[in-house]
Amino acid sequence: MVQKAKILLVDDRPENLLALEAILSALDQTLVRASSGEEALKALLTDDFAVILLDVQMPGMDGFETAAHIKRRERTRDIPIIFLTAINHGPHHTFRGYAAGAVDYISKPFDPWVLRAKVSVFVELYMKNCQLREQAALLRLQLEGGDKAAAGGAKEPAGLLAELSARLAAVEEQAEALSKQLGDESTDAAAVATAAHLERKLTGLRRALDALEPGTSGGQPAVN
């Protein structure tokens, strides 16, 4: 069973949170509510999120300040933030949102379909990265097993190597399709850049896996 991604919804108005849940429920992911910046930061201490939808106008800690705290933490600095605001103060206000680390800035009332489509892109990227980390962990186990097998004179566990290669191929195919979709739809530059970074990591993992095939030389590859 594939684990669902978590999406953090931050807004001080319950009716806005309810509306966001209604729009995003079709994605079939886990939606987590936070009614303030402080509550959002607490949620981020324990859970991993694919994307954050953050209201700008909140009493106390507003969206800009909340985003600044998120970007200062090593654990959360790479989580995409989509700012939502009911007012538009012009280019300067929008620039402040991007400067605070947002990947997008949407004014209310927004098109539900557009918001759902933007969020789904980041959910897909998050899931692909989770799969990539899983493949990297399996590859590290394979490397360690190879060391022990070589020390004991045992044969290379080719079955596990073939399984790793097949699973990685599936992730590569999905990532390629997602990158093509992003390119065709001219989606946000941040999403396109994230997808490109994911493909580079997949390429590195594939090279490392290929280096384990019987008959290759060059020692053990490094996996980040």
Side-chain angles (χ1 to χ4, degrees):
M1 181 180 296
V2 178
Q3 186 175 3
K4 294 183 179 182
K6 292 183 178 179
I7 303 169
L8 183 59
L9 313 176
V10 189
D11 199 304
D12 63 297
R13 299 174 66 89
E15 62 271 24
N16 290 343
L17 290 171
L18 187 61
L20 288 173
E21 288 175 337
I23 292 170
L24 300 176
S25 60
L27 298 180
D28 193 28
Q29 304 300 324
T30 301
L31 306 177
V32 179
R33 284 189 175 199
S35 58
S36 67
E38 291 86 354
E39 190 174 334
L41 293 176
K42 288 181 180 178
L44 289 163
L45 287 174
T46 55
D47 290 324
D48 294 324
F49 291 91
V51 61
I52 302 170
L53 273 62
L54 180 58
D55 184 43
V56 172
Q57 303 295 321
M58 294 188 295
M61 183 184 296
D62 65 13
F64 296 128
E65 187 178 355
T66 303
H69 281 288
I70 293 171
K71 293 302 177 182
R72 279 199 292 266
R73 293 178 178 178
E74 184 176 355
R75 174 187 172 92
T76 59
R77 65 179 53 166
D78 294 326
I79 302 176
I81 298 174
I82 298 177
F83 271 138
L84 305 176
T85 179
I87 58 176
N88 187 358
H89 290 301
H92 176 73
H93 199 254
T94 303
F95 175 77
R96 186 181 176 192
Y98 287 119
V103 297
D104 210 339
Y105 198 100
I106 304 177
S107 297
K108 303 174 186 176
F110 44 77
D111 185 325
W113 187 92
V114 171
L115 179 63
R116 188 164 51 243
K118 289 177 179 290
V119 171
S120 69
V121 168
F122 290 106
V123 168
E124 285 189 67
L125 289 171
Y126 173 82
M127 299 299 284
K128 297 299 180 293
N129 271 299
C130 287
Q131 289 179 305
L132 180 57
R133 285 195 295 269
E134 180 183 353
Q135 308 311 316
L138 287 171
L139 180 54
R140 280 193 290 269
L141 288 175
Q142 171 66 29
L143 289 169
E144 293 171 0
D147 284 343
K148 294 177 181 178
K155 294 182 179 180
E156 185 74 18
L160 179 56
L161 194 60
E163 180 184 351
L164 277 169
S165 182
R167 295 181 66 176
L168 180 57
V171 179
E172 288 172 329
E173 182 178 352
Q174 294 170 357
E176 182 179 354
L178 179 58
S179 295
K180 186 178 185 302
Q181 176 188 343
L182 291 175
D184 292 343
E185 297 177 357
S186 298
T187 320
D188 300 326
V192 174
T194 303
H197 177 66
L198 175 61
E199 285 199 322
R200 288 194 296 271
K201 292 173 69 176
L202 281 169
T203 299
L205 188 57
R206 170 57 67 186
R207 288 174 179 168
L209 191 59
D210 289 345
L212 293 176
E213 292 289 345
T216 58
S217 59
Q220 293 183 350
V223 179
N224 295 325

